[in-house]
Amino acid sequence: MAEVVEDFQLRIDAGVKGARAEFDEFVEKKKAEAEEQTDSGEELKQWANEAARMSQVTDDQLKEKRKQAMIAKMIGLGHDPRDVERAAYSWRPYVTTVFNSPIQLTDSVWKRVKSRAENLVEVEKQRRLEVERRPIRDARRSLARSRYAAFKETYDASPDRLLPQASDFLDLPMIKAVIQDDGDDVSPGIFDDAFDELPVFLDEWRRVRRVDLARMLLESQAAPGDAQDAVTAEKDGILHLATSFFSTCRRCPGSRYGEDSIHWMSTMHRHFARTGRSHAYWIYMNSPCTGMKCIRVVPEYIEGANLLVQAVGLDPKTATTLDMDEIDPRFWCKDCSMLRNGNPNVARSWRNCIMHFGFHAASSPWKGWELLSPDDRATIEANEDAASALQTVDWNKTAISLQCTASNLQGWDCKLKTALPPTPT
């Protein structure tokens, strides 16, 4: 019995070993097949890459052949080889279907793309000529600016100096035509004819802007009229009244942060001199200064100016800036003693008061101005003379107190050199 069991056990072991050998053989076979498939995939991938590369090489060769054929034809038509080369090898997308195409340049294809090719070559020609002419045009612009600066010194722009700034001047038709001329002349006489025409042009340029400013003043008085009303008002001298002033953008000289810059016609040219420059980054989202669009009339400011004119016994409807400058009054701002925490109040000129008014625009109600008494006026005049002896002072932007302390338009100490005048004996 034991022999039978042993024999049976041997047969089972033999069967297991045979099955295991078959299984191992099967596994090895599958591994070999998988490796063979992997190798085949890599080969296919390499073949595909090589085929794509060869196709690209062929495509590039066809494009280069097309370019050379196009270049030969364009040069044969008389175009400059420099312009043709730049057009043929331009990176611009719209050149692709003209020069950079694998399609063979047959007669029918040439007939279809010829006009477009000539346009592209013409564009490159203009670019080349612009670069070649740039030194000449820059020299002409510099010459024009120099002559314009000298012209403004002698041009009779009284009673105001409202003139185009240099950048706008270069865009005037008669000046631009000389700058863009194809010649190479850069002598001073090249602008003689243009400057002969300039006074008439500037007279009209100034007239149009004065009429626009007069219209703004009429509209601020709740009395809008037609264009003829503005022309009449300008001729009648509305722009030269003491109460005819404008609030301009804050990029003008002498302006700071929150307040507008105030200009009468005598200083309006300072605003136009800034036209085209960008405002400060915290103002108007860095928008550019646009001349007339950056000018406004504030009725509240005009009402405050009326009070100043009336305080010296003049009529706001007829008093001019010259009338007020001749009287040269001084005023106390009734709000400043409160806002300056007990510091001495300062006496302001009439122009200083108007420029300073924006500082109190939010006061409700605003307390107004007070004309200095004769004794205070005498003391202030002595203090101003003493300060002016130490430095140059613009009393339209600076004010001084009875104690000889000074401040600017905003009421801040302006570090003015001051010294009390000697006591009379």
Side-chain angles (χ1 to χ4, degrees):
M1 184 65 181
E3 294 177 358
V4 174
V5 172
E6 183 179 356
D7 182 60
F8 185 74
Q9 184 65 41
L10 292 172
R11 291 181 180 181
I12 292 175
D13 292 341
V16 171
K17 290 180 180 179
R20 182 175 296 168
E22 291 179 1
F23 177 75
D24 291 342
E25 184 181 353
F26 174 78
V27 171
E28 292 298 329
K29 181 179 179 181
K30 290 301 181 182
K31 285 183 178 180
E33 292 177 355
E35 291 177 356
E36 184 178 354
Q37 291 177 356
T38 301
D39 293 340
S40 299
E42 289 296 331
E43 291 180 2
L44 289 174
K45 184 177 180 179
Q46 292 178 1
W47 292 341
N49 291 339
E50 183 64 18
R53 189 185 70 81
M54 294 301 297
S55 176
Q56 183 64 42
V57 170
T58 302
D59 190 67
D60 291 343
Q61 291 174 346
L62 292 174
K63 289 180 179 179
E64 184 62 27
K65 184 178 179 180
R66 164 72 173 262
K67 286 180 183 178
Q68 295 303 322
M70 290 283 294
I71 290 173
K73 284 186 173 294
M74 297 302 295
I75 294 176
L77 293 176
H79 294 284
D80 192 302
R82 296 172 294 176
D83 304 327
V84 178
E85 288 281 345
R86 289 191 183 95
Y89 290 96
S90 173
W91 56 267
R92 295 172 181 82
Y94 52 78
V95 179
T96 302
T97 57
V98 180
F99 287 94
N100 194 33
S101 173
I103 300 175
Q104 185 179 1
L105 188 63
T106 61
D107 291 341
S108 59
V109 173
W110 168 245
K111 184 177 180 181
R112 187 174 66 250
V113 302
K114 177 183 175 182
S115 60
R116 295 174 60 190
E118 289 182 324
N119 291 337
L120 292 173
V121 172
E122 183 63 26
V123 169
E124 294 300 329
K125 176 183 177 181
Q126 294 303 320
R127 289 197 177 104
R128 175 177 59 81
L129 293 178
E130 180 63 27
V131 172
E132 293 174 354
R133 295 170 183 165
R134 188 173 299 162
I136 296 176
R137 291 178 178 175
D138 288 345
R140 290 174 179 174
R141 290 187 184 97
S142 178
L143 176 61
R145 281 191 289 264
S146 299
R147 288 201 57 171
Y148 184 50
F151 172 85
K152 288 191 294 184
E153 295 299 325
T154 59
Y155 176 62
D156 182 13
S158 299
D160 62 76
R161 293 185 57 80
L162 187 62
L163 293 169
Q165 64 162 334
S167 60
D168 292 335
F169 167 77
L170 296 178
D171 287 332
L172 298 182
M174 71 286 289
I175 303 299
K176 191 172 183 178
V178 177
I179 294 174
Q180 299 294 334
D181 185 74
D182 292 339
D184 56 1
D185 188 1
V186 292
S187 63
I190 193 174
F191 287 102
D192 286 348
D193 292 341
F195 273 83
D196 289 342
E197 302 174 20
L198 193 57
V200 175
F201 181 90
L202 289 182
D203 286 343
E204 179 62 17
W205 186 93
R206 296 173 66 232
R207 186 194 69 80
V208 170
R209 279 148 187 81
R210 286 198 299 266
V211 170
D212 288 340
L213 293 172
R215 184 181 298 109
M216 292 175 63
L217 290 169
L218 293 178
E219 292 174 351
S220 72
Q221 300 170 4
D226 57 23
Q228 188 59 40
D229 293 333
V231 171
T232 302
E234 190 276 326
K235 289 182 178 179
D236 291 342
I238 188 175
L239 295 177
H240 303 293
L241 298 180
T243 54
S244 294
F245 55 89
F246 304 86
S247 298
T248 65
C249 66
R250 291 163 248 179
R251 285 288 292 175
C252 295
S255 62
R256 295 176 60 100
Y257 305 108
E259 83 285 353
D260 289 338
S261 183
I262 302 298
H263 288 292
W264 286 264
M265 281 304 298
S266 59
T267 60
M268 184 59 75
H269 64 279
R270 298 178 185 171
H271 168 72
F272 282 93
R274 306 289 293 190
T275 303
R277 302 188 185 184
S278 294
H279 296 277
Y281 70 89
W282 61 85
I283 302 172
Y284 308 137
M285 298 299 291
N286 201 33
S287 62
C289 176
T290 53
M292 295 298 293
K293 292 182 180 180
C294 290
I295 299 174
R296 64 192 180 108
V297 177
V298 183
E300 293 81 2
Y301 291 13
I302 301 298
E303 292 175 5
N306 288 338
L307 296 177
L308 295 173
V309 175
Q310 291 170 348
V312 297
L314 299 180
D315 184 356
K317 295 182 179 180
T318 59
T320 66
T321 55
L322 295 178
D323 295 333
M324 290 295 290
D325 287 339
E326 183 176 355
I327 297 174
D328 195 21
R330 294 293 185 272
F331 298 87
W332 303 116
C333 175
K334 292 183 178 181
D335 271 346
C336 282
S337 59
M338 174 187 66
L339 295 179
R340 287 170 57 84
N341 299 321
N343 291 329
N345 204 348
V346 291
R348 301 181 181 276
S349 69
W350 73 276
R351 292 180 188 266
N352 190 308
C353 289
I354 294 176
M355 295 179 184
H356 171 72
F357 185 79
F359 184 64
H360 295 303
S363 299
S364 181
W366 174 58
K367 295 181 180 180
W369 313 105
E370 178 184 351
L371 189 65
L372 268 65
S373 67
D375 290 342
D376 287 347
R377 175 60 190 263
T379 302
I380 290 298
E381 285 183 349
N383 290 350
E384 290 178 352
D385 291 342
S388 298
L390 300 176
Q391 67 265 288
T392 301
V393 184
D394 183 357
W395 294 111
N396 291 327
K397 297 179 181 178
T398 308
I400 202 165
S401 70
L402 294 172
Q403 292 77 18
C404 215
T405 58
S407 74
N408 60 15
L409 296 175
Q410 290 77 26
W412 303 333
D413 290 338
C414 61
K415 309 303 180 185
L416 186 70
K417 296 178 182 178
T418 58
L420 289 173
T423 303
T425 57

